[in-house]
Amino acid sequence: MPQHALLVLALPLVSAAIIALFLRRAGGIASAISTLTAAAIAVIAVILALHGERFEQSLEWLKLGKFTLSIGLKFDDLAALMLVIVGIVGLCVHVFSLGYMHDDSARARYFGGLSIFMFSMLGIVFADNLFMMFIFWELVGFSSWLLINHYMDRQSAADASKKAFIVNRVGDFGFLLGILWCYTQFGTTNLTELAKAVDGGMAVAVGLPVLLFCGAVGKSAQIPLHVWLPDAMEGPTPVSALIHAATMVAAGIYMLCRINMLMVPDALTIIMWTGTATALYAALCAITQSDIKKVLAYSTLSQLGYMVAAFGLGSTSDTHLHDGTPHTVFYAVGVGAAMFHLTTHAFFKALLFLGSGSVIHGCHHEQDIFKMGGLAKKMPLTFVTFTIGVLAIIGMPGLAGFFSKDAILYLAYVKNTPVFALLALTAVLTAFYMVRMWKIVFLGSPRTEAAAHAHEGGVALTAPLVTLGVLSIIGGYGWFYTKVWAGKFDEVIDLVPHPPEEGPAHMIILGTSLAVMLVGALAALVLYKPAATDALAEKSPGLFGALAGLKLLPDRIYDYYVAKVQQRFAMLVNFLEQILLAGVIVRGLAGIVGLFGLGARALHVGNVNAYAYWFLLGVVALWAFATGAMTF
C-alpha cells in the first residue's frame, strides 16, 4: 500500500510535466492524459481506503546542522477520507472540463494546471509533518493562482489571481511562524511525535495553535482573509468546483483536524467565533448577489465557517498522571463534525458549481441570474441535479446536508447557545438565498435570447452532475460509510455527535432544522418572482444597499489601508533609503573615498622636484617620530 500511495502522489506530477514539456499545443492529448490520470487517482484512492492498511513512512530529505527536513507519508482514516474526496471530486471535475473547455485554445495549460493542483493537494493529504505540509501548501497556492488566471487576457482575472495569491501569503506567514514555534518548542513537526509529546505532558501555549490557524484563515477564506474567494470566481467554473468548493478551501479544515492535538480551550474559542462570524457574514452577503457563481462563492464561505465553528466547538479533556503529576490534555472532538460536513459539502457544492457551469455553458456564458429564467424546461437534467444540490445545502431531511448540518447544530446546542442561535440564523439565510437563486434561474420564462436558446450539454457535462447528485443524497447516511466503505472511516465518522434517538435535544434540533429551512425557503418563494429585477432592491432599497455594502466594506478597508497606510509607509521607507542609505551612506562614503583618491592622484605629477620635496618631508616626519617629538 505505501507503493500505491507514492504512485497516486507521483501520477499527477508526471502528467503535469509531460503536458508542460511536450503537449502545450496539443489540447486534446493533454486533456486525455490529465483525465486518465485523475481516473487512476480516484481508483487507487478507493483501493487504499478499502484495503484497510494504515501506515507511516518517512525519508530524510535535507539536513542542516541539527535541523532535519523529512518527506513522509501518514495514511490513517482521516487521510483516507480526504483522499477519496479529492479523488472522486477531482475526476468529476476533469470529466466535466472535457466538455466545458472543449473549445478553449489554452486547454493544455488548463489541464496541466489541474494536474499540478492535484499533485499539490495530495501532498497535503499525505504529509506526515508540518514542514512538508507547508511546502505543498504553497504549491496549492501557486496552482490556484495559475488556474484563476487562466483567462489571462481579462484584467479582472489577472487582478483576482494576484489578490488570491497575496492574501493567502498573509495567512501563510502566520502558519510558517506557528511551524517554527512548534519546532522550537517540541524539536519536531512530525504529527505523530507531536501527539506523543503533548500526551506525555508538554504544555502548549495559546499562541501556537492560533498562529497555525492563520494558515486555515487564508486557505479556507475566513474573516478577515475571506476577500479573495468571491473574486476567484473569475477562473473557469470547473476550477471553482474543484479548488474553491471541495478541495483547496477544505485544506484549511483538514489541517486543523491534523493538528487537533495542539488545541487548547482558548485557541478553540477563537476558532469557534471566527467560523461563526464568517458563516453569518457570508450568508448576508450572498443575498444581494446577481452572479450565479458569486452566490455559490459566498455560500462556500458560509459553509466553511460552519466547519470551522464545528471544529472550535468540539473540545473535551482527559486528565492522567505524568511523572506523578496530574496532567490535563485537551482534545478537539469537533474533528468528526467538521470532516462530516466537509465530506457532504464537497459533494453538493461541487454539484452546484458544476450545475452552474452547465447553466453558463447552456446560456452561452451568461452568469447574471436575472438574465436567465425558464431553464427547468430547457435543461431538465441540470434542473433536477441542481435542485438536489439546493435541497442538500438547505438541509432537506433525507439528503446529505441535513445530517451533517444537524450534527453541527447539535454540537452548538450542547456547547454554546449563542453560537447555536447564530448558526441557526445562518441556516435561515442559506435557505433564503439558495431558493432565491434557484427560482430566478429555473422558473418562469426565459428573459434573454441566451436563456431562450439554452440547451443541455453532452455526456461529459451531465455524467458528473448525476454522480454528484447521487452522492449528495446518500453521502449523509450511516450505511454509506459502514456498508459501502466497510467502516474504514470509523476513526473519523464515529466522532460525529449524533443526537439521541429520544429526548428533548433530539426534538429541539429536528424542530430547529425544519423551521429554519421552511422559514428561509418560503420567504424566498414569496418575495421573489422570476423577473429581470431584484425584488428586495425594489421593495426595500435601504436594506438591499446595506447588505450590498457588507460585501464592499472589507475591500474598501483593505484599499484604504493599502493607499493611506501601507503605501505611505512604503514611500517613507523609500525616501529614507534614498537619503540615508543611497545618499549619505553609499554616495557619501563613495564621495569621501573619491576625494582621497583625487588627493592621492594629485601627488603623482611626474615632476622630480616635487618628489624630492615629498621625500624630504617624509624624512623629517620619520626623524620627528624616532626622536619622540611627534607621536601617534
Side-chain angles (χ1 to χ4, degrees):
M1 289 299 107
Q3 284 74 23
H4 284 72
L6 288 173
L7 178 62
V8 80
L9 183 60
L11 278 173
L13 179 61
V14 173
S15 171
I18 292 174
I19 292 172
L21 294 174
F22 307 110
L23 302 174
R24 284 181 290 179
R25 298 184 181 278
I29 301 175
S31 60
I33 290 177
S34 183
T35 304
L36 289 174
T37 299
I41 291 171
V43 171
I44 299 174
V46 172
I47 293 173
L48 280 167
L50 290 177
H51 188 272
E53 181 180 345
R54 305 296 183 249
F55 53 83
E56 287 187 55
Q57 288 192 356
S58 183
L59 175 67
E60 183 179 300
W61 181 45
L62 181 65
K63 190 166 186 178
L64 298 172
K66 295 182 179 179
F67 172 74
T68 301
L69 179 60
S70 298
I71 297 294
L73 304 176
K74 180 179 175 66
F75 190 71
D76 53 7
D77 283 3
L78 181 62
L81 178 59
M82 194 67 186
L83 179 64
V84 168
I85 293 171
V86 173
I88 292 177
V89 175
L91 176 58
C92 289
V93 168
H94 275 78
V95 173
F96 188 89
S97 297
L98 291 175
Y100 192 87
M101 304 296 291
H102 182 266
D103 297 325
D104 195 287
S105 59
R107 250 195 313 171
R109 172 162 52 82
Y110 170 82
F111 278 95
L114 287 184
S115 289
I116 196 65
F117 172 80
M118 292 290 286
F119 167 70
S120 307
M121 192 65 207
L122 292 172
I124 293 177
V125 173
F126 283 118
D128 74 334
N129 66 84
L130 293 178
F131 278 118
M132 176 181 170
M133 183 177 288
F134 184 78
I135 293 171
F136 285 99
W137 196 269
E138 295 304 298
L139 281 174
V140 164
F142 162 74
S143 54
S144 172
W145 168 83
L146 183 67
L147 290 167
I148 294 171
N149 195 31
H150 177 73
Y151 300 123
M152 59 179 66
D153 55 328
R154 298 181 189 171
Q155 187 61 42
S156 57
D159 292 341
S161 64
K162 288 187 291 186
K163 187 175 184 179
F165 191 83
I166 293 171
V167 171
N168 273 275
R169 297 296 74 72
V170 176
D172 293 353
F173 180 68
F175 187 29
L176 181 59
L177 291 179
I179 294 173
L180 295 176
W181 186 348
C182 186
Y183 182 80
T184 301
Q185 180 172 348
F186 295 99
T188 182
T189 60
N190 182 274
L191 298 170
T192 302
E193 293 177 3
L194 286 174
K196 292 178 180 178
V198 173
D199 192 55
M202 293 192 70
V204 180
V206 176
L208 174 55
V210 170
L211 281 175
L212 293 173
F213 174 57
C214 289
V217 171
K219 277 289 184 291
S220 294
Q222 299 296 288
I223 288 176
L225 300 181
H226 65 284
V227 293
W228 67 270
L229 185 59
D231 290 353
M233 297 302 106
E234 291 292 337
T237 303
V239 169
S240 301
L242 178 63
I243 295 181
H244 309 122
T247 55
M248 173 184 151
V249 292
I253 313 299
Y254 177 76
M255 183 268 286
L256 288 177
C257 296
R258 270 289 184 230
I259 62 170
N260 74 87
M261 79 291 287
L262 299 175
M263 292 298 159
V264 294
D266 288 342
L268 287 171
T269 300
I270 294 172
I271 293 171
M272 173 191 70
W273 282 111
T274 301
T276 304
T278 303
L280 180 58
Y281 167 81
L284 290 170
C285 290
I287 293 173
T288 60
Q289 299 302 310
S290 58
D291 187 314
I292 187 171
K293 289 174 65 177
K294 291 286 181 70
V295 177
L296 296 178
Y298 279 106
S299 171
T300 301
L301 280 176
S302 185
Q303 297 303 308
L304 289 169
Y306 250 86
M307 299 174 210
V308 172
F311 181 85
L313 279 165
S315 64
T316 188
S317 62
D318 180 29
T319 302
H320 58 271
L321 294 178
H322 177 69
D323 296 332
T325 304
H327 175 67
T328 302
V329 179
F330 294 92
Y331 302 97
V333 296
V335 168
M339 287 302 298
F340 188 25
H341 197 54
L342 185 153
T343 304
T344 60
H345 176 264
F347 297 145
F348 62 69
K349 186 52 65 68
L351 170 62
L352 288 170
F353 264 109
L354 293 185
S356 72
S358 179
V359 168
I360 294 168
H361 183 269
C363 292
H364 307 286
H365 298 283
E366 177 60 65
Q367 295 184 200
D368 190 336
I369 61 175
F370 294 103
K371 295 181 179 179
M372 297 177 184
L375 298 185
K377 296 179 180 178
K378 300 287 183 178
M379 307 175 70
L381 185 57
T382 299
F383 170 68
V384 171
T385 54
F386 198 92
T387 302
I388 292 173
V390 170
L391 294 177
I393 195 173
I394 69 175
M396 173 66 72
L399 274 70
F402 166 76
F403 297 100
S404 58
K405 185 197 71 176
D406 269 23
I408 296 175
L409 288 176
Y410 176 77
L411 195 59
Y413 178 76
V414 172
K415 296 285 186 177
N416 194 303
T417 302
V419 171
F420 170 72
L422 292 175
L423 292 181
L425 175 59
T426 301
V428 174
L429 298 174
T430 301
F432 180 80
Y433 67 73
M434 289 302 300
V435 172
R436 162 189 179 262
M437 177 182 65
W438 172 82
K439 184 176 183 179
I440 293 172
V441 171
F442 289 101
L443 302 187
S445 57
R447 292 182 289 277
T448 62
E449 194 71 18
H453 292 88
H455 57 85
E456 202 76 77
V459 176
L461 293 176
T462 55
L465 298 181
V466 174
T467 302
L468 291 169
V470 172
L471 291 173
S472 297
I473 297 173
I474 67 175
Y477 288 92
W479 59 262
F480 178 68
Y481 301 96
T482 58
K483 301 297 183 182
V484 176
W485 295 103
K488 300 302 182 182
F489 305 137
D490 283 353
E491 182 182 327
V492 179
I493 299 300
D494 277 353
L495 293 176
V496 177
H498 298 286
E501 293 300 326
E502 297 180 357
H506 170 69
M507 297 306 298
I508 290 173
I509 296 302
L510 181 60
T512 301
S513 297
L514 293 174
V516 298
M517 181 193 67
L518 292 175
V519 169
L522 291 176
L525 289 172
V526 171
L527 178 61
Y528 289 96
K529 307 297 181 185
T533 57
D534 194 306
L536 183 61
E538 292 180 345
K539 296 181 180 180
S540 183
L543 176 60
F544 184 88
L547 293 175
L550 280 178
K551 185 266 179 188
L552 300 174
L553 182 61
D555 282 322
R556 288 174 178 170
I557 293 174
Y558 279 116
D559 290 342
Y560 178 86
Y561 165 76
V562 171
K564 302 298 183 181
V565 180
Q566 180 176 294
Q567 188 65 19
R568 292 184 179 182
F569 178 73
M571 292 172 65
L572 174 62
V573 172
N574 180 67
F575 173 77
L576 295 176
E577 188 271 337
Q578 293 293 329
I579 298 299
L580 296 179
L581 292 179
V584 175
I585 297 178
V586 177
R587 294 193 181 100
L589 291 177
I592 294 172
V593 173
L595 288 175
F596 277 107
L598 288 173
R601 188 171 61 183
L603 300 177
H604 300 279
V605 296
N607 191 316
V608 176
N609 293 331
Y611 293 155
Y613 285 120
W614 281 113
F615 175 75
L616 291 175
L617 182 61
V619 170
V620 172
L622 179 62
W623 172 83
F625 177 75
T627 59
M630 183 174 64
T631 59
F632 294 97

